[in-house]
Coordinates of all heavy atoms in Angstrom, one line a residue:
A1 N 0.9 -1.2 0.0 CA 0.0 0.0 0.0 C 0.9 1.2 0.0 O 1.9 1.3 0.7 CB -0.9 0.0 1.2
A2 N 0.5 2.2 -0.7 CA 1.3 3.5 -0.8 C 1.4 4.2 0.5 O 2.5 4.7 0.8 CB 0.6 4.4 -1.8
G3 N 0.4 4.1 1.3 CA 0.5 4.7 2.6 C 1.6 4.2 3.6 O 1.9 4.8 4.5
M4 N 2.0 3.0 3.3 CA 3.0 2.3 4.1 C 4.4 2.6 3.7 O 5.4 2.1 4.3 CB 2.7 0.8 4.2 CG 1.5 0.4 4.9 SD 1.3 1.2 6.6 CE 2.5 0.2 7.5
A5 N 4.6 3.3 2.7 CA 6.0 3.6 2.2 C 6.8 4.3 3.3 O 6.2 5.2 4.0 CB 6.0 4.4 0.9
A6 N 8.0 4.0 3.4 CA 8.9 4.7 4.4 C 9.0 6.1 4.0 O 9.2 6.5 2.9 CB 10.3 4.0 4.5
P7 N 8.9 7.0 5.0 CA 9.0 8.5 4.8 C 10.4 8.8 4.3 O 11.4 8.2 4.7 CB 8.7 9.1 6.1 CG 8.3 8.1 7.0 CD 8.6 6.7 6.4
T8 N 10.5 9.7 3.4 CA 11.8 10.2 2.9 C 12.5 11.0 4.0 O 11.8 11.4 5.0 CB 11.7 11.1 1.7 OG1 10.9 12.3 2.1 CG2 10.9 10.4 0.6
M9 N 13.7 11.3 3.9 CA 14.4 12.2 4.8 C 13.7 13.5 5.0 O 13.5 13.9 6.2 CB 15.9 12.4 4.4 CG 16.8 13.0 5.4 SD 16.9 11.9 6.9 CE 17.5 13.1 8.1
E10 N 13.3 14.1 3.9 CA 12.6 15.4 4.0 C 11.3 15.2 4.9 O 11.0 16.1 5.7 CB 12.2 15.9 2.6 CG 13.4 16.4 1.8 CD 14.2 17.5 2.6 OE1 13.6 18.5 2.9 OE2 15.4 17.3 2.8
E11 N 10.6 14.2 4.6 CA 9.3 13.9 5.4 C 9.6 13.7 6.8 O 8.8 14.1 7.7 CB 8.6 12.7 4.7 CG 7.9 13.1 3.4 CD 7.4 11.9 2.6 OE1 8.0 10.8 2.9 OE2 6.5 12.0 1.8
R12 N 10.7 12.9 7.1 CA 11.0 12.7 8.5 C 11.3 14.0 9.2 O 10.9 14.3 10.3 CB 12.2 11.7 8.6 CG 11.8 10.3 8.3 CD 12.8 9.3 8.9 NE 14.1 9.4 8.3 CZ 14.5 8.8 7.2 NH1 13.7 8.1 6.5 NH2 15.8 9.0 6.8
K13 N 12.1 14.8 8.5 CA 12.5 16.1 9.1 C 11.3 17.0 9.4 O 11.1 17.6 10.4 CB 13.4 16.9 8.2 CG 14.9 16.5 8.3 CD 15.8 17.5 7.6 CE 17.2 17.0 7.5 NZ 17.8 17.3 6.2
A14 N 10.3 17.0 8.4 CA 9.1 17.8 8.6 C 8.3 17.2 9.8 O 7.8 18.0 10.6 CB 8.3 17.7 7.3
C15 N 8.3 15.9 9.9 CA 7.5 15.3 11.0 C 8.2 15.7 12.3 O 7.5 16.1 13.2 CB 7.5 13.8 10.8 SG 6.9 12.9 12.2
W16 N 9.5 15.5 12.4 CA 10.1 15.8 13.7 C 10.0 17.3 14.0 O 9.9 17.6 15.2 CB 11.6 15.4 13.6 CG 11.8 13.9 13.6 CD1 11.0 12.9 14.1 CD2 12.8 13.2 12.9 NE1 11.4 11.7 13.8 CE2 12.6 11.8 13.1 CE3 14.0 13.6 12.2 CZ2 13.5 10.8 12.6 CZ3 14.8 12.6 11.7 CH2 14.6 11.2 11.9
G17 N 10.1 18.1 13.0 CA 10.0 19.6 13.3 C 8.6 19.9 13.8 O 8.5 20.6 14.8
A18 N 7.6 19.3 13.2 CA 6.2 19.5 13.7 C 6.0 19.0 15.1 O 5.4 19.6 15.9 CB 5.2 18.9 12.7
R19 N 6.6 17.8 15.4 CA 6.5 17.3 16.7 C 7.2 18.2 17.7 O 6.6 18.5 18.8 CB 7.2 15.9 16.7 CG 7.2 15.3 18.1 CD 8.3 14.3 18.3 NE 9.7 14.9 18.0 CZ 10.8 14.2 17.9 NH1 10.8 12.9 17.9 NH2 11.9 14.8 17.7
D20 N 8.4 18.7 17.4 CA 9.1 19.5 18.3 C 8.3 20.8 18.6 O 8.3 21.2 19.8 CB 10.5 19.8 17.8 CG 11.4 18.6 17.8 OD1 11.0 17.6 18.4 OD2 12.5 18.6 17.1
E21 N 7.8 21.4 17.6 CA 7.0 22.6 17.8 C 5.8 22.4 18.7 O 5.5 23.1 19.5 CB 6.6 23.2 16.4 CG 7.7 23.9 15.7 CD 7.2 24.5 14.4 OE1 6.0 24.7 14.2 OE2 8.0 24.7 13.5
F22 N 5.1 21.3 18.4 CA 3.9 20.9 19.2 C 4.3 20.7 20.6 O 3.7 21.2 21.6 CB 3.3 19.6 18.6 CG 2.1 19.1 19.4 CD1 1.1 19.9 19.7 CD2 2.1 17.8 19.8 CE1 0.0 19.4 20.5 CE2 1.1 17.2 20.5 CZ 0.0 18.0 20.9
W23 N 5.4 19.9 20.9 CA 5.8 19.6 22.2 C 6.3 20.9 22.9 O 6.0 21.0 24.1 CB 7.0 18.6 22.2 CG 6.5 17.2 22.0 CD1 5.2 16.8 21.6 CD2 7.2 16.0 22.2 NE1 5.1 15.4 21.5 CE2 6.3 14.9 21.9 CE3 8.5 15.7 22.6 CZ2 6.7 13.6 21.9 CZ3 8.9 14.4 22.7 CH2 8.0 13.3 22.3
Q24 N 7.0 21.8 22.2 CA 7.4 23.0 22.9 C 6.2 23.8 23.3 O 6.1 24.4 24.4 CB 8.2 23.9 21.9 CG 9.7 23.6 21.9 CD 10.5 24.3 20.8 OE1 9.9 24.8 19.9 NE2 11.8 24.3 21.0
C25 N 5.1 23.8 22.4 CA 3.9 24.5 22.7 C 3.3 23.9 24.0 O 2.9 24.6 24.9 CB 2.9 24.4 21.6 SG 1.3 25.2 21.9
L26 N 3.2 22.6 24.1 CA 2.7 22.0 25.3 C 3.5 22.3 26.5 O 2.9 22.6 27.5 CB 2.6 20.4 25.1 CG 1.6 19.9 24.1 CD1 1.8 18.3 23.9 CD2 0.2 20.2 24.5
D27 N 4.8 22.3 26.3 CA 5.6 22.6 27.5 C 5.4 24.0 28.0 O 5.3 24.3 29.2 CB 7.1 22.5 27.1 CG 7.6 21.1 26.9 OD1 6.9 20.2 27.5 OD2 8.6 20.9 26.3
S28 N 5.2 25.0 27.1 CA 5.0 26.4 27.5 C 3.6 26.7 28.0 O 3.4 27.7 28.5 CB 5.5 27.3 26.4 OG 4.8 27.1 25.2
H29 N 2.7 25.8 27.7 CA 1.3 26.0 28.1 C 0.8 24.9 29.1 O -0.4 24.7 29.3 CB 0.3 26.0 26.9 CG 0.5 27.2 26.1 ND1 1.2 27.1 24.9 CD2 0.1 28.5 26.2 CE1 1.2 28.3 24.3 NE2 0.5 29.2 25.1
G30 N 1.8 24.3 29.8 CA 1.4 23.4 30.9 C 0.6 22.2 30.3 O -0.4 21.8 30.9
D31 N 0.9 21.8 29.1 CA 0.2 20.7 28.5 C -1.2 20.9 28.2 O -2.0 20.0 28.1 CB 0.4 19.4 29.3 CG 1.7 18.6 29.0 OD1 2.1 18.6 27.8 OD2 2.3 18.1 29.9
D32 N -1.6 22.2 28.0 CA -2.9 22.6 27.6 C -3.1 22.4 26.1 O -2.7 23.2 25.3 CB -3.2 24.0 27.9 CG -4.7 24.4 27.6 OD1 -5.3 23.6 26.9 OD2 -5.1 25.5 28.0
A33 N -3.5 21.2 25.7 CA -3.6 20.8 24.2 C -4.5 21.8 23.4 O -4.2 22.0 22.3 CB -4.1 19.4 24.1
A34 N -5.5 22.3 24.1 CA -6.4 23.3 23.3 C -5.6 24.4 22.8 O -5.9 24.9 21.7 CB -7.5 23.7 24.3
K35 N -4.6 24.9 23.5 CA -3.8 26.0 23.0 C -2.8 25.7 21.9 O -2.3 26.5 21.2 CB -3.0 26.6 24.2 CG -3.8 27.3 25.2 CD -3.0 28.3 26.0 CE -3.9 29.2 26.8 NZ -4.5 28.6 27.9
C36 N -2.7 24.4 21.6 CA -1.7 23.9 20.6 C -2.4 23.2 19.5 O -1.8 22.4 18.8 CB -0.7 23.0 21.3 SG 0.1 23.8 22.7
E37 N -3.7 23.4 19.4 CA -4.5 22.7 18.4 C -3.9 22.7 17.0 O -3.8 21.7 16.3 CB -5.9 23.3 18.4 CG -7.0 22.5 17.7 CD -7.2 21.1 18.3 OE1 -7.3 21.0 19.5 OE2 -7.3 20.1 17.5
K38 N -3.5 23.9 16.6 CA -3.0 24.1 15.2 C -1.7 23.3 15.0 O -1.6 22.6 14.0 CB -2.7 25.5 14.9 CG -3.8 26.2 14.1 CD -3.3 27.5 13.4 CE -3.4 28.6 14.4 NZ -3.8 29.9 14.1
L39 N -0.9 23.3 16.0 CA 0.4 22.6 15.9 C 0.1 21.1 15.9 O 0.8 20.3 15.3 CB 1.3 23.0 17.0 CG 1.9 24.4 16.9 CD1 2.6 24.9 18.1 CD2 2.7 24.6 15.6
R40 N -0.9 20.7 16.7 CA -1.2 19.3 16.8 C -1.7 18.8 15.4 O -1.3 17.7 15.0 CB -2.3 19.1 17.8 CG -3.0 17.7 17.8 CD -2.1 16.7 18.6 NE -2.4 15.3 18.3 CZ -1.9 14.3 18.8 NH1 -0.9 14.5 19.8 NH2 -2.2 13.1 18.5
R41 N -2.5 19.6 14.7 CA -3.0 19.2 13.4 C -1.8 19.1 12.4 O -1.8 18.2 11.6 CB -4.1 20.2 12.9 CG -5.4 19.9 13.6 CD -6.5 20.4 12.8 NE -6.5 21.9 12.8 CZ -7.2 22.6 13.7 NH1 -7.9 22.1 14.6 NH2 -7.1 24.0 13.6
A42 N -0.9 20.1 12.5 CA 0.3 20.0 11.6 C 1.1 18.8 11.9 O 1.6 18.1 11.0 CB 1.1 21.3 11.8
F43 N 1.3 18.5 13.1 CA 2.0 17.3 13.6 C 1.4 16.0 13.0 O 2.0 15.2 12.4 CB 2.0 17.3 15.1 CG 2.5 16.0 15.7 CD1 3.7 15.4 15.4 CD2 1.8 15.4 16.8 CE1 4.1 14.2 16.0 CE2 2.2 14.2 17.4 CZ 3.3 13.6 17.0
E44 N 0.1 15.9 13.1 CA -0.7 14.8 12.6 C -0.6 14.7 11.1 O -0.6 13.6 10.5 CB -2.1 14.8 13.1 CG -2.2 14.4 14.6 CD -3.6 14.4 15.1 OE1 -4.5 14.9 14.4 OE2 -3.8 14.0 16.2
A45 N -0.6 15.9 10.4 CA -0.6 15.9 9.0 C 0.8 15.5 8.4 O 0.8 14.9 7.3 CB -1.0 17.3 8.5
R46 N 1.8 15.8 9.1 CA 3.2 15.6 8.6 C 3.8 14.3 9.0 O 4.8 13.9 8.5 CB 4.1 16.7 9.1 CG 3.7 18.1 8.5 CD 4.8 19.0 8.6 NE 4.4 20.3 8.0 CZ 4.2 21.4 8.6 NH1 4.3 21.4 10.0 NH2 3.8 22.5 8.0
C47 N 3.2 13.6 10.0 CA 3.7 12.3 10.5 C 2.8 11.2 10.2 O 1.6 11.3 10.2 CB 4.0 12.4 12.0 SG 5.1 13.7 12.5
P48 N 3.4 10.0 9.9 CA 2.5 8.8 9.7 C 1.8 8.6 11.0 O 2.3 8.8 12.1 CB 3.6 7.7 9.5 CG 4.8 8.4 9.0 CD 4.8 9.7 9.7
Q49 N 0.6 8.1 10.9 CA -0.3 7.9 12.1 C 0.4 7.1 13.2 O 0.3 7.4 14.3 CB -1.6 7.2 11.6 CG -2.6 7.0 12.7 CD -3.1 8.4 13.3 OE1 -3.4 9.3 12.6 NE2 -3.0 8.5 14.6
Q50 N 1.1 6.0 12.8 CA 1.8 5.2 13.7 C 2.9 6.0 14.5 O 3.1 5.7 15.7 CB 2.5 4.0 13.1 CG 1.6 2.8 12.8 CD 2.3 1.9 11.8 OE1 2.7 2.3 10.7 NE2 2.3 0.6 12.1
W51 N 3.5 6.9 13.9 CA 4.5 7.7 14.5 C 3.8 8.6 15.5 O 4.4 8.9 16.6 CB 5.3 8.6 13.5 CG 6.2 7.8 12.6 CD1 6.1 6.5 12.3 CD2 7.3 8.3 12.0 NE1 7.1 6.2 11.5 CE2 7.9 7.2 11.2 CE3 7.9 9.6 11.9 CZ2 9.1 7.4 10.5 CZ3 9.1 9.7 11.2 CH2 9.6 8.6 10.4
V52 N 2.7 9.2 15.1 CA 2.0 10.1 16.1 C 1.6 9.3 17.3 O 1.9 9.8 18.4 CB 0.7 10.6 15.4 CG1 -0.2 11.3 16.4 CG2 1.0 11.5 14.2
K53 N 1.1 8.1 17.2 CA 0.8 7.3 18.4 C 2.1 7.0 19.2 O 2.0 7.1 20.4 CB 0.2 5.9 17.9 CG -1.2 6.0 17.5 CD -1.8 4.6 17.5 CE -3.1 4.6 16.8 NZ -3.1 3.9 15.5
H54 N 3.1 6.7 18.5 CA 4.4 6.4 19.2 C 4.9 7.6 20.0 O 5.3 7.6 21.1 CB 5.5 6.0 18.2 CG 6.9 6.0 18.7 ND1 7.3 5.0 19.6 CD2 7.9 6.8 18.6 CE1 8.6 5.2 19.9 NE2 8.9 6.4 19.3
F55 N 4.9 8.8 19.3 CA 5.4 10.0 19.9 C 4.5 10.4 21.1 O 5.0 10.9 22.1 CB 5.5 11.2 18.9 CG 6.6 11.0 18.0 CD1 6.5 11.3 16.6 CD2 7.9 10.6 18.4 CE1 7.5 11.2 15.7 CE2 8.9 10.4 17.5 CZ 8.8 10.8 16.2
D56 N 3.2 10.2 21.0 CA 2.3 10.5 22.1 C 2.6 9.7 23.3 O 2.7 10.2 24.4 CB 0.8 10.3 21.7 CG 0.2 11.4 20.8 OD1 0.9 12.4 20.7 OD2 -0.8 11.2 20.2
K57 N 2.9 8.4 23.1 CA 3.3 7.5 24.2 C 4.6 7.9 24.8 O 4.8 7.9 26.0 CB 3.4 6.1 23.7 CG 2.0 5.3 23.5 CD 2.3 3.8 23.6 CE 1.1 3.1 23.0 NZ 1.3 2.8 21.6
R58 N 5.5 8.3 23.8 CA 6.8 8.7 24.3 C 6.8 9.9 25.2 O 7.4 10.0 26.2 CB 7.7 8.9 23.0 CG 9.1 9.5 23.3 CD 10.1 8.6 22.7 NE 11.5 9.1 23.1 CZ 12.1 8.6 24.2 NH1 11.6 7.7 24.9 NH2 13.3 9.1 24.5
R59 N 5.9 10.9 24.8 CA 5.8 12.1 25.6 C 5.3 11.8 26.9 O 5.8 12.3 27.9 CB 4.9 13.1 24.9 CG 4.8 14.4 25.7 CD 4.2 15.5 24.9 NE 4.0 16.6 25.9 CZ 4.9 17.5 26.2 NH1 6.1 17.5 25.6 NH2 4.6 18.5 27.1
D60 N 4.3 11.0 27.0 CA 3.7 10.6 28.3 C 4.8 9.9 29.2 O 4.9 10.2 30.3 CB 2.5 9.6 28.1 CG 1.3 10.3 27.6 OD1 1.2 11.5 27.7 OD2 0.4 9.6 27.1
F61 N 5.6 9.0 28.5 CA 6.6 8.4 29.3 C 7.7 9.4 29.8 O 8.1 9.3 30.9 CB 7.3 7.3 28.4 CG 8.6 6.7 28.9 CD1 8.5 5.9 30.0 CD2 9.8 7.1 28.5 CE1 9.7 5.3 30.6 CE2 11.0 6.6 29.0 CZ 10.9 5.7 30.1
L62 N 8.1 10.3 28.9 CA 9.1 11.3 29.3 C 8.6 12.2 30.4 O 9.3 12.5 31.4 CB 9.5 12.1 28.1 CG 10.3 11.4 27.0 CD1 10.5 12.3 25.8 CD2 11.6 10.9 27.5
K63 N 7.3 12.5 30.4 CA 6.7 13.4 31.4 C 6.7 12.6 32.7 O 7.0 13.1 33.8 CB 5.3 13.7 31.1 CG 5.2 15.0 30.2 CD 3.8 15.6 30.2 CE 2.7 14.6 30.5 NZ 1.4 15.0 29.8
Y64 N 6.4 11.3 32.7 CA 6.3 10.5 33.9 C 7.7 10.3 34.5 O 7.9 10.5 35.7 CB 5.7 9.1 33.5 CG 5.7 8.1 34.6 CD1 4.9 8.3 35.7 CD2 6.5 7.0 34.6 CE1 4.8 7.4 36.7 CE2 6.5 6.1 35.6 CZ 5.7 6.2 36.7 OH 5.6 5.3 37.7
K65 N 8.7 10.1 33.6 CA 10.1 10.0 34.0 C 10.6 11.2 34.7 O 11.2 11.2 35.8 CB 11.0 9.7 32.8 CG 12.1 8.8 33.1 CD 12.9 8.4 31.9 CE 14.1 9.3 31.8 NZ 14.9 9.1 30.6
K66 N 10.2 12.4 34.1 CA 10.6 13.7 34.7 C 10.0 13.9 36.0 O 10.6 14.4 37.0 CB 10.2 14.8 33.7 CG 10.8 16.1 34.0 CD 10.4 17.1 33.0 CE 11.3 18.3 32.9 NZ 11.0 19.1 31.7
M67 N 8.7 13.5 36.1 CA 8.0 13.6 37.4 C 8.7 12.8 38.5 O 8.9 13.2 39.6 CB 6.6 13.2 37.3 CG 5.7 13.5 38.5 SD 4.1 12.7 38.3 CE 4.5 11.0 38.7
L68 N 9.1 11.6 38.1 CA 9.8 10.7 39.1 C 11.1 11.3 39.5 O 11.5 11.3 40.7 CB 10.1 9.3 38.4 CG 8.9 8.4 38.2 CD1 9.4 7.0 37.7 CD2 8.1 8.2 39.5
E69 N 11.8 12.0 38.5 CA 13.1 12.6 38.8 C 12.9 13.8 39.7 O 13.7 14.0 40.6 CB 13.8 13.0 37.6 CG 14.4 11.8 36.8 CD 14.8 12.1 35.4 OE1 14.7 13.3 35.0 OE2 15.2 11.1 34.7
T70 N 11.9 14.6 39.5 CA 11.7 15.8 40.3 C 11.0 15.5 41.6 O 11.3 16.1 42.6 CB 11.0 16.9 39.5 OG1 9.7 16.3 39.0 CG2 11.8 17.4 38.4
E71 N 10.1 14.6 41.6 CA 9.3 14.4 42.9 C 9.6 13.1 43.6 O 9.2 12.9 44.7 CB 7.8 14.4 42.5 CG 7.3 15.7 41.9 CD 5.9 15.7 41.4 OE1 5.2 14.8 41.8 OE2 5.6 16.5 40.5
G72 N 10.4 12.2 42.9 CA 10.7 11.0 43.5 C 9.5 10.0 43.4 O 8.4 10.4 43.1
Y73 N 9.8 8.7 43.5 CA 8.8 7.7 43.3 C 7.9 7.7 44.6 O 8.4 7.6 45.7 CB 9.4 6.4 43.1 CG 8.3 5.3 43.0 CD1 7.5 5.2 41.9 CD2 8.2 4.4 44.0 CE1 6.5 4.2 41.8 CE2 7.2 3.4 44.0 CZ 6.4 3.3 42.9 OH 5.4 2.4 42.8
R74 N 6.6 7.8 44.4 CA 5.7 7.6 45.4 C 4.8 6.4 45.1 O 4.1 6.5 44.1 CB 4.8 8.9 45.6 CG 5.6 10.1 46.2 CD 4.6 11.1 46.7 NE 3.8 11.6 45.6 CZ 4.0 12.7 44.9 NH1 5.1 13.4 45.1 NH2 3.2 13.1 43.9
P75 N 4.8 5.4 45.9 CA 3.9 4.3 45.6 C 2.5 4.7 45.6 O 2.1 5.5 46.4 CB 4.3 3.2 46.7 CG 5.0 4.0 47.8 CD 5.6 5.2 47.2
P76 N 1.7 4.1 44.7 CA 0.3 4.5 44.7 C -0.3 4.0 46.0 O 0.1 3.1 46.6 CB -0.3 3.6 43.5 CG 0.8 2.7 43.2 CD 2.1 3.2 43.7
E77 N -1.4 4.7 46.5 CA -2.1 4.4 47.7 C -2.5 2.9 47.6 O -3.0 2.5 46.5 CB -3.3 5.3 47.9 CG -2.9 6.7 48.3 CD -2.1 6.8 49.6 OE1 -2.6 6.2 50.6 OE2 -1.1 7.5 49.6
A78 N -2.4 2.2 48.6 CA -2.8 0.8 48.6 C -4.3 0.7 48.3 O -5.1 1.4 49.0 CB -2.5 0.1 49.9
A79 N -4.7 -0.1 47.3 CA -6.1 -0.1 47.0 C -6.9 -0.9 48.1 O -6.3 -1.7 48.8 CB -6.3 -0.9 45.7
G80 N -8.1 -0.5 48.2 CA -9.0 -1.3 49.2 C -8.9 -0.7 50.6 O -9.6 -1.2 51.5
K81 N -8.0 0.2 50.9 CA -8.0 0.8 52.2 C -9.1 1.8 52.3 O -9.1 2.7 51.4 CB -6.7 1.5 52.5 CG -5.6 0.7 53.2 CD -4.5 1.5 53.8 CE -4.1 2.7 52.9 NZ -2.8 3.2 53.3
S82 N -10.0 1.7 53.2 CA -11.1 2.7 53.3 C -11.3 3.2 54.7 O -11.0 2.5 55.6 CB -12.4 2.2 52.7 OG -12.7 1.0 53.3

């Protein structure tokens, strides 16, 4: 299928650039996605759908990792305690 062709170097650069702009926007707006709607659409338009999913997961992971580094690990409250 044509949609599955590997992106060219130019396309990859465009995708990464769009992702970086979108992520910078999220960073500067405390992850308020509504303020970054346009950049989100550009990101989705320039990147293969699978990449978008991957980068979304990656961002969540990086945020979680950063939180652990800044706040330390806190075990979740034991379930069932009432």
Side-chain angles (χ1 to χ4, degrees):
M4 290 308 289
T8 64
M9 190 61 201
E10 289 304 304
E11 288 168 335
R12 286 201 297 273
K13 277 191 186 140
C15 169
W16 292 330
R19 174 204 61 190
D20 292 346
E21 281 180 24
F22 174 54
W23 282 13
Q24 271 173 344
C25 178
L26 288 176
D27 287 343
S28 58
H29 290 101
D31 275 323
D32 182 350
K35 291 203 163 70
C36 307
E37 192 62 43
K38 259 198 280 217
L39 291 172
R40 172 79 197 182
R41 282 201 294 269
F43 168 51
E44 288 179 348
R46 293 199 180 107
C47 300
Q49 186 58 50
Q50 278 165 307
W51 288 26
V52 171
K53 284 199 192 107
H54 167 77
F55 287 139
D56 284 347
K57 281 204 199 90
R58 174 126 186 93
R59 181 169 172 85
D60 286 343
F61 169 74
L62 292 172
K63 273 194 341 208
Y64 176 68
K65 213 175 101 182
K66 192 179 200 165
M67 189 189 77
L68 288 185
E69 283 164 8
T70 52
E71 298 170 23
Y73 176 70
R74 289 195 301 264
E77 290 298 311
K81 267 197 322 198
S82 51

